[in-house]
């Protein structure tokens, strides 16, 4: 029976333990229970359970090592087999050797081997074997089916097993603590080897890439886009460290992927990425297991600074960064007012042309039913830039910015999404530090079709500006263009003579001096006075709306965007913080290679610039109120009601002109009943005026609520402890909403309008 017990413990099936269970003895079959006494059967229960756990664990970890998509999980499974299960086999051989040698510690008098002694030899393995079985079941459930890809519900990821082993190491059982610590070191070593290919060469792991926390973005088919999947990130890796790892690998990947012919001679550095490899390997080799967060962050920081100072600053010089920011500032943030005016004018012309040729019916009279083609949107932007080029002055820098904008800017219809990112690089990337912009379709107002202004970011600009940044800029641009468009449409009412004054002018003296002429002139004056009195409330509402829009634009552009941009530009052009940081080991050898003038030029590294830019973008979005939950929706409704009011005023003016022709000149259109239309349009115009009044009061009330909510608060920023040695960029805290509310002074204006209404 001893041989049967030892063979069963070794992993072989045994009739002693593997038959049907009896009712009294759970782990011994009915035949053995008749041959053994009750105490002996009870002693064999633990041996039978240990035998089955050993056999199940060995088979399961072998399956994990052969089929699991994660290299970290495979390494842990292999370590379980080679270290603990092999040690268990060695323990069985040692017990068997002592029995064969008749060792007194195991064999008693008359060569009797006590069953209790054999069971006691393996009693310490029961808890450990149960823990190993539970761990292997956590890595891959028993019913998990792997068909070439990882099944999220059945298979664990490498990050989860690392986090679990770190948690399991915090226990009071020494054997479990030792096993968890050993396996955790194996898992972290495997994770470091997996990450080294990305940090040193910019390549995703050749095997197990689906389990690596940096993955290629499936949405970008023709671009080299990568993102951080934080669900695959171990807890000892901070968000900032993950962002730095993404930046380093992405930079190396793009440097190696872009052909050398595309790099200009002036932008080619004296040091290549292969020259920096020994320093990077040395920095990464200092990270020991168990991995400390500070050690990993320091190693990544050294690699990032080495790569940025010796290679990336040549590929992405400061001048190029300033030009890109200037394009974003002037065109996306509408700092160049002529561009917004030209684009809105061209869009209105485009929609007027398409609306004239569109057969309107009673079932679909809305101009939003017009489908815009991508080529037409591009032509609208091209014509706006062409008009802008004719207005350019003799400043060469302005012409250069306009030339760059004409090459990288695109206006095209966009697919509607559930919510714009605050993403990043996208909505999937929670570490993008981008603001969460409320999903309001401002992009439908310009061309009555979802259409957004975007910018292409070719190499190496994508190291500094990500697609998520451009998406946020597009959302802010649509928001600002909607405000400017509503302002221009309302202000345009004052520029049209037939709307604001009697047009054409009254007849001359010779005609009005006659009796008939006096009667005609009196009737015209009465008609004009009646129409003017009826339009007073409309013009009062329009004036209040223009005041709100004008002051809002002044606050947005002068109080928020311009000041924040000047502050960011001053930080970028001042490299004092970057030059005063502690040098790293590679700096001495690199200074011998670089010329003296190159050593004297320092700038912030691209990742620090990208993080500062995202902090600036987050602060601007916060101050522009696009992240507020209610204000953008109220403003969108307000802009729609402005369009309705302008349309009704224009239509009413056209109807009144036709009535005047019929009354004064006798030219009548019998196909239209203009008198009936005048009453209907006047009624709708009054309703539109009331809606606009309600919108204005709602907007101002929301501004007061925001001002009360933000007392003592500041814009959300990026707290990046990893860059404190280089000089952390802190976004400028601009003036609050109270400055805008003081200019509006809505309470006094409400009292004035009420008293004015009583007089009417």
């Amino acid at each position: 029976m001893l041989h049967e017990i030892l063979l069963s413990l070794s992993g072989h099936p045994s009739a002693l333990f593997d038959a049907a269970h009896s009712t009294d003895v759970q782990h011994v079959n009915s035949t053995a229970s008749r041959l053994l006494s009750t105490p002996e059967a009870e002693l064999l229960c633990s041996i039978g359970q240990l035998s089955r756990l050993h056999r199940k664990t060995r088979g399961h970890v072998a399956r994990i090592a052969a089929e699991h998509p994660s290299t970290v999980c495979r390494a842990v499974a292999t370590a379980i087999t080679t270290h603990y299960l092999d040690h268990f086999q060695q323990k069985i051989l040692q017990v068997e050797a002592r029995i064969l040698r008749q060792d007194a510690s195991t064999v008693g008098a008359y060569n009797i081997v006590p069953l209790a002694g054999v069971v006691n030899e393996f009693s310490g393995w029961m808890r450990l074997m149960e823990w190993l079985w539970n761990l292997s079941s956590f890595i891959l459930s028993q019913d998990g089916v792997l068909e070439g890809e990882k099944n999220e519900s059945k298979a664990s990821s490498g990050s989860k097993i690392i986090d679990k082993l770190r948690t399991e190491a915090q226990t009071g059982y020494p054997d479990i603590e030792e096993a968890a610590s050993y396996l955790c070191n194996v898992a972290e070593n495997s994770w470091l080897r997996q990450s080294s290919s990305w940090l040193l060469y910019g390549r995703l792991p050749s095997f197990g890439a689906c389990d690596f926390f940096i993955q290629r973005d499936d949405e970008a088919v023709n671009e080299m886009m990568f993102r951080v999947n934080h669900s695959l990130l171990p807890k000892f890796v901070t968000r900032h460290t993950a962002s730095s790892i993404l930046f380093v690998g992405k930079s190396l990947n793009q440097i190696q992927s872009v052909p050398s012919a595309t790099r200009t001679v002036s932008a080619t550095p004296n040091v290549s990425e292969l020259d920096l490899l020994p320093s990077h390997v040395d920095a990464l080799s200092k990270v020991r297991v168990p991995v400390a967060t500070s050690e990993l962050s320091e190693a990544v920081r050294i690699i990032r600074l080495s790569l940025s100072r010796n290679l990336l600053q040549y590929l992405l010089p400061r001048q190029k960064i300033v030009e890109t920011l200037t394009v974003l500032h002037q065109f996306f943030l509408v700092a160049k007012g002529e561009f917004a005016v030209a684009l809105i004018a061209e869009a209105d012309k485009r929609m007027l042309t398409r609306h004239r040729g569109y057969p309107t019916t009673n079932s679909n009279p809305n101009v939003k039913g017009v489908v815009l083609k991508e080529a037409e949107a591009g032509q609208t932007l091209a014509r706006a830039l062409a008009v802008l080029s004719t207005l350019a002055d003799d400043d060469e820098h302005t012409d250069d910015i306009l030339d760059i904008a004409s090459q990288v800017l695109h206006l095209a219809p966009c697919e509607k999404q559930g919510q714009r990112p605050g993403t990043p690089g996208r909505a999937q990337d929670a570490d993008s530090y981008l603001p969460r912009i409320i999903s309001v379709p401002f992009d439908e107002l310009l061309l009555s079709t979802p259409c957004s202004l975007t910018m292409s970011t070719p190499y190496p600009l994508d190291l500094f500006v990500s697609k998520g940044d451009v998406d946020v800029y597009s959302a802010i641009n649509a928001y600002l263009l909607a405000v400017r468009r509503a302002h221009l449409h309302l202000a345009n009412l004052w520029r049209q003579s037939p709307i604001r004054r009697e047009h054409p002018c009254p007849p001359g003296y010779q005609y009005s001096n006659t009796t008939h002429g006096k009667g005609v002139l009196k009737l015209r004056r009465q008609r004009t006075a009646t129409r003017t009195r009826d339009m007073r409330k409309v013009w009062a509402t329009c004036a209040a709306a223009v005041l709100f829009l004008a002051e809002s634009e002044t606050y947005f552009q002068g109080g928020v965007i311009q000041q924040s941009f000047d502050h960011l530009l001053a930080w970028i052009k001042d490299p004092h913080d970057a030059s005063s940081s502690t040098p790293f080991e590679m700096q001495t050898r690199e200074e011998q290679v670089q010329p003296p003038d190159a050593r004297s030029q320092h700038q912030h590294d691209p990742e620090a610039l990208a993080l500062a830019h995202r902090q600036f973008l987050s602060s601007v979005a916060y101050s522009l109120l696009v992240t507020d939950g209610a204000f953008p929706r109220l403003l969108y409704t307000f802009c729609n009601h402005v369009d309705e009011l302008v349309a009704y005023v224009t239509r009413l003016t056209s109807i009144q002109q036709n009535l005047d022709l019929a009354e004064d000149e006798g030219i009548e259109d019998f196909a239209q009943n203009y008198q009936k239309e005048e009453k209907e349009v006047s009624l709708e115009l009054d309703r539109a005026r009331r809606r606009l009044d309600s919108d204005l009061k709602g907007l101002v009330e929301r501004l007061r609520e925001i001002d009360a909510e933000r007392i003592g608060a500041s814009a959300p920023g990026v707290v990046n402890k990893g860059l404190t040695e280089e000089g952390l960029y802190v976004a400028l805290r601009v003036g609050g909403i109270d400055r805008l509310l003081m200019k509006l002074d809505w309470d006094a204006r409400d009292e004035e309008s009420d008293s004015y209404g009583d007089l009417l």
Side-chain angles (χ1 to χ4, degrees):
M1 188 176 67
L2 288 177
H3 289 87
E4 188 73 17
I5 292 174
L6 296 178
L7 287 174
S8 176
L9 289 175
S10 300
H12 299 280
S14 172
L16 189 63
F17 302 114
D18 299 328
H21 295 171
S22 63
T23 56
D24 297 331
V25 182
Q26 296 294 328
H27 302 292
V28 183
N29 61 26
S30 57
T31 303
S33 61
R34 290 194 300 267
L35 300 176
L36 300 175
S37 63
T38 302
E40 292 176 335
E42 290 291 341
L43 285 176
L44 290 179
C45 287
S46 60
I47 294 294
Q49 184 180 1
L50 182 61
S51 172
R52 278 185 295 274
L53 283 175
H54 178 214
R55 190 162 58 252
K56 289 194 302 182
T57 303
R58 180 175 290 276
H60 197 56
V61 295
R63 181 185 179 190
I64 293 173
E67 299 179 358
H68 204 284
S70 172
T71 56
V72 176
C73 294
R74 288 195 177 195
V76 172
T78 304
I80 291 175
T81 302
T82 58
H83 189 76
Y84 291 100
L85 297 186
D86 286 356
H87 284 186
F88 182 70
Q89 291 278 17
Q90 293 295 328
K91 178 66 176 179
I92 296 174
L93 294 177
Q94 291 175 5
V95 172
E96 185 179 10
R98 288 201 300 268
I99 293 175
L100 294 177
R101 292 197 308 266
Q102 297 183 358
D103 194 329
S105 61
T106 306
V107 181
Y110 305 103
N111 296 329
I112 297 175
V113 180
L115 184 59
V118 175
V119 173
N120 185 61
E121 291 286 343
F122 300 98
S123 60
W125 282 90
M126 179 60 67
R127 181 173 55 245
L128 180 59
M129 195 65 70
E130 289 180 351
W131 181 82
L132 292 175
W133 167 246
N134 293 331
L135 181 65
S136 61
S137 299
F138 175 81
I139 297 175
L140 177 64
S141 61
Q142 301 181 42
D143 56 345
V145 178
L146 300 177
E147 298 180 354
E149 296 183 358
K150 181 181 67 174
N151 190 335
E152 295 289 346
S153 60
K154 303 297 182 181
S156 174
S157 62
S159 60
K160 290 182 180 179
I161 191 61
I162 291 176
D163 296 336
K164 180 175 178 60
L165 288 172
R166 286 198 166 206
T167 303
E168 292 291 331
Q170 309 298 322
T171 181
Y173 298 104
D175 52 346
I176 302 297
E177 179 183 359
E178 186 273 334
S181 300
Y182 175 79
L183 294 177
C184 184
N185 292 342
V186 171
E188 292 180 8
N189 267 319
S190 177
W191 185 87
L192 285 175
R193 287 193 295 269
Q194 192 180 40
S195 303
S196 61
S197 62
W198 176 260
L199 275 171
L200 300 178
Y201 304 101
R203 294 193 296 265
L204 291 175
S206 57
F207 180 80
C210 61
D211 186 61
F212 192 49
F213 70 96
I214 294 177
Q215 297 181 348
R216 189 180 298 274
D217 200 337
D218 296 333
E219 297 180 5
V221 179
N222 298 325
E223 300 179 4
M224 295 180 295
M225 297 292 294
F226 300 91
R227 63 183 178 89
V228 176
N229 187 352
H230 293 280
S231 62
L232 301 177
L233 196 65
K235 291 183 179 180
F236 62 81
V237 184
T238 63
R239 293 289 179 101
H240 165 61
T241 303
S243 177
S244 297
I245 294 174
L246 173 64
F247 172 79
V248 170
K250 181 181 176 182
S251 303
L252 290 172
N253 182 276
Q254 293 186 355
I255 290 172
Q256 297 174 1
S257 301
V258 174
S260 58
T262 60
R263 308 177 189 175
T264 59
V265 178
S266 59
T268 303
N270 295 327
V271 180
S272 66
E273 60 272 14
L274 296 179
D275 298 332
L276 303 176
L277 187 59
S279 176
H280 296 175
V281 172
D282 181 67
L284 194 60
S285 63
K286 295 181 180 179
V287 180
R288 306 295 182 185
V289 292
V291 178
T293 303
S294 58
E295 291 183 357
L296 181 62
S297 301
E298 181 65 17
V300 174
R301 187 188 72 87
I302 291 175
I303 295 175
R304 174 178 59 84
L305 293 181
S306 173
L307 186 65
S308 299
R309 293 179 179 177
N310 296 280
L311 190 61
L312 296 182
Q313 69 176 354
Y314 296 93
L315 301 176
L316 192 62
R318 184 187 308 161
Q319 180 182 1
K320 191 70 174 178
I321 294 174
V322 172
E323 289 179 353
T324 304
L325 286 176
T326 305
V327 170
L328 294 170
H329 174 240
Q330 292 187 0
F331 295 93
F332 280 90
L333 299 182
V334 200
K336 196 175 187 63
E338 297 86 352
F339 170 72
V341 174
L343 183 61
I344 293 171
E346 292 298 329
D348 292 341
K349 292 179 182 178
R350 175 72 60 180
M351 293 310 301
L352 182 61
T353 303
R354 289 185 59 83
H355 185 51
R356 285 176 179 174
Y358 184 74
T360 58
T361 60
N362 293 331
S363 61
N364 188 16
N366 198 343
V367 74
K368 289 186 178 181
V370 180
V371 178
L372 186 73
K373 297 180 181 179
E374 184 176 357
E376 293 177 334
Q379 291 173 3
T380 302
L381 177 62
R383 291 179 62 87
L385 293 176
V387 172
L388 202 62
S389 63
T390 61
L391 303 176
D393 50 14
D394 297 333
D395 189 359
E396 296 181 357
H397 180 68
T398 303
D399 295 337
D400 294 340
I401 296 299
L402 186 59
D403 293 339
I404 296 174
S406 61
Q407 297 174 3
V408 300
L409 294 184
H410 307 283
L411 183 66
C414 58
E415 297 291 336
K416 295 306 294 178
Q417 299 177 355
Q419 187 174 13
R420 300 207 92 139
T423 153
R426 315 180 89 82
Q428 302 96 336
D429 188 0
D431 193 33
S432 59
Y433 300 110
L434 294 177
R436 300 288 297 179
I437 296 181
I438 304 301
S439 179
V440 179
F442 284 104
D443 49 8
E444 294 181 352
L445 298 177
L446 183 63
L447 290 169
S448 299
T449 299
C451 190
S452 61
L453 183 69
T454 60
M455 184 181 73
S456 58
T457 54
Y459 170 85
L461 288 180
D462 51 355
L463 298 175
F464 170 65
V465 180
S466 65
K467 189 179 183 302
D469 299 336
V470 178
D471 290 341
V472 175
Y473 271 112
S474 298
I476 296 178
N477 176 259
Y479 174 84
L480 296 176
L481 283 180
V483 177
R484 181 66 60 87
R485 179 176 177 272
H487 188 188
L488 290 177
H489 285 182
L490 283 176
N492 191 46
L493 296 178
W494 273 266
R495 299 189 181 97
Q496 300 182 23
S497 297
I499 297 179
R500 283 293 296 160
R501 59 180 63 90
E502 185 178 357
H503 184 81
C505 60
Y509 171 75
Q510 297 178 353
Y511 178 80
S512 60
N513 195 29
T514 63
T515 303
H516 176 71
K518 290 181 180 179
V520 172
L521 183 61
K522 182 179 180 181
L523 292 175
R524 290 187 180 181
R525 287 178 177 174
Q526 291 177 354
R527 182 178 65 193
T528 303
T530 302
R531 292 176 179 176
T532 303
R533 185 168 54 252
D534 294 339
M535 289 292 292
R536 282 181 180 178
K537 292 183 178 180
V538 175
W539 290 118
T541 300
C542 291
V546 168
L547 173 64
F548 174 82
L549 292 171
E551 294 300 336
S552 298
E553 285 185 275
T554 303
Y555 170 75
F556 289 160
Q557 293 295 334
V560 176
I561 295 176
Q562 189 61 45
Q563 293 185 17
S564 300
F565 179 74
D566 293 340
H567 182 260
L568 175 65
L569 213 59
W571 181 83
I572 291 175
K573 292 181 178 180
D574 182 15
H576 177 71
D577 294 332
S579 61
S580 62
S581 61
T582 305
F584 45 90
E585 299 178 2
M586 187 65 186
Q587 188 172 0
T588 304
R589 187 176 65 86
E590 291 161 358
E591 289 180 352
Q592 300 175 359
V593 181
Q594 296 177 352
D597 56 345
R599 293 196 304 265
S600 61
Q601 296 178 359
H602 295 280
Q603 69 179 47
H604 298 284
D605 65 278
E607 190 194 13
L609 291 170
L611 291 175
H613 175 238
R614 290 172 184 173
Q615 186 181 3
F616 155 79
L617 193 57
S618 178
S619 176
V620 167
Y622 177 83
S623 300
L624 292 179
L625 309 179
V626 294
T627 59
D628 185 69
F631 185 82
R633 295 187 176 92
L634 293 174
L635 186 61
Y636 175 73
T637 305
F638 169 79
C639 292
N640 281 326
H641 290 166
V642 166
D643 290 342
E644 292 179 1
L645 181 68
V646 172
Y648 284 130
V649 171
T650 305
R651 178 58 181 161
L652 182 61
T653 303
S654 176
I655 292 173
Q656 292 175 352
Q657 288 178 348
N658 287 286
L659 289 174
D660 295 345
L661 285 175
E663 183 178 353
D664 299 340
E665 305 296 338
I667 303 174
E668 297 186 17
D669 185 3
F670 295 99
Q672 298 289 337
N673 188 353
Y674 287 112
Q675 293 180 351
K676 180 180 178 181
E677 287 189 20
E678 183 183 18
K679 295 180 181 179
E680 294 176 353
V681 173
S682 298
L683 179 61
E684 293 298 331
L685 178 61
D686 185 68
R687 292 174 178 173
R689 178 192 66 81
R690 294 177 184 274
R691 286 194 295 266
L692 199 60
D693 278 335
S694 177
D695 293 339
L696 285 171
K697 293 179 182 178
L699 285 170
V700 175
E701 183 63 27
R702 181 55 191 165
L703 287 177
R704 290 172 179 165
E705 294 176 358
I706 294 175
D707 182 52
E709 293 171 358
R710 294 185 176 183
I711 292 178
S714 59
V718 182
V719 181
N720 194 350
K721 298 181 180 180
L723 299 178
T724 51
E725 295 185 1
E726 301 176 56
L728 174 64
Y729 173 78
V730 179
L732 181 65
R733 184 173 182 178
V734 297
I737 307 299
D738 54 340
R739 297 189 178 184
L740 177 59
L741 288 172
M742 286 189 297
K743 293 182 179 180
L744 294 176
D745 194 13
W746 206 256
D747 287 337
R749 189 165 297 276
D750 285 342
E751 296 176 0
E752 183 180 352
S753 63
D754 292 342
S755 61
Y756 179 73
D758 295 338
L759 293 176
L760 294 178

